[in-house]
Amino acid sequence: VQLQASGGGLVQPGGSLKLSCAASGAVFEINDMGWYRQAPGKQRELVAGITSGGSTNYADSVKGRFTISRDNAKNTVYLQMNSLKPEDTAVYYCNAAVLRTDWRRANYWGQGTLVTVSS
């Protein structure tokens, strides 16, 4: 199973970006999915999570600005980021709790995509 993240880049404060993360390989079903981020010198933190049923949760720092969504048919999770601030600068990682086709459950991480918010 692989998670491929994309969509990062350089954006000015107040701008928007949309991240995508697609799972491929021996995936039977995906349960919880989420986005985490890690800024230089800081620990990795949860940004947003979404269950298979569509329930969501957000870090207080991004509530009202970021929206997580998923397309179960495409095994893909998205993160729409609006009103970006310099403090949102970080490497963003996607995460998925996967039920594999061999019936084992495992947790997977994407490779990370860099988001830089700067003027």
Side-chain angles (χ1 to χ4, degrees):
V1 175
Q2 292 185 328
L3 298 185
Q4 182 67 45
S6 62
L10 173 64
V11 63
Q12 292 187 341
S16 297
L17 279 176
K18 186 173 184 177
L19 306 182
S20 300
C21 177
S24 62
V27 176
F28 178 78
E29 182 181 82
I30 302 178
N31 301 125
D32 293 350
M33 303 184 83
W35 288 96
Y36 291 72
R37 67 187 180 187
Q38 187 166 19
K42 294 188 177 181
Q43 291 187 330
R44 190 174 298 189
E45 63 175 357
L46 174 67
V47 176
I50 185 167
T51 68
S52 57
S55 296
T56 59
N57 63 287
Y58 297 91
D60 287 344
S61 59
V62 306
K63 283 180 181 177
R65 300 188 297 121
F66 291 10
T67 302
I68 189 170
S69 61
R70 62 190 286 172
D71 184 333
N72 291 331
K74 296 182 179 179
N75 289 334
T76 299
V77 63
Y78 305 96
L79 186 68
Q80 176 67 48
M81 305 185 293
N82 298 329
S83 302
L84 282 160
K85 304 176 181 180
E87 51 263 44
D88 295 317
T89 295
V91 178
Y92 284 70
Y93 299 90
C94 56
N95 178 272
V98 176
L99 174 60
R100 297 162 47 95
T101 53
D102 59 7
W103 306 117
R104 291 187 296 165
R105 294 185 182 274
N107 195 270
Y108 293 91
W109 290 92
Q111 83 281 12
T113 184
L114 177 63
V115 172
T116 303
V117 184
S118 176
S119 55

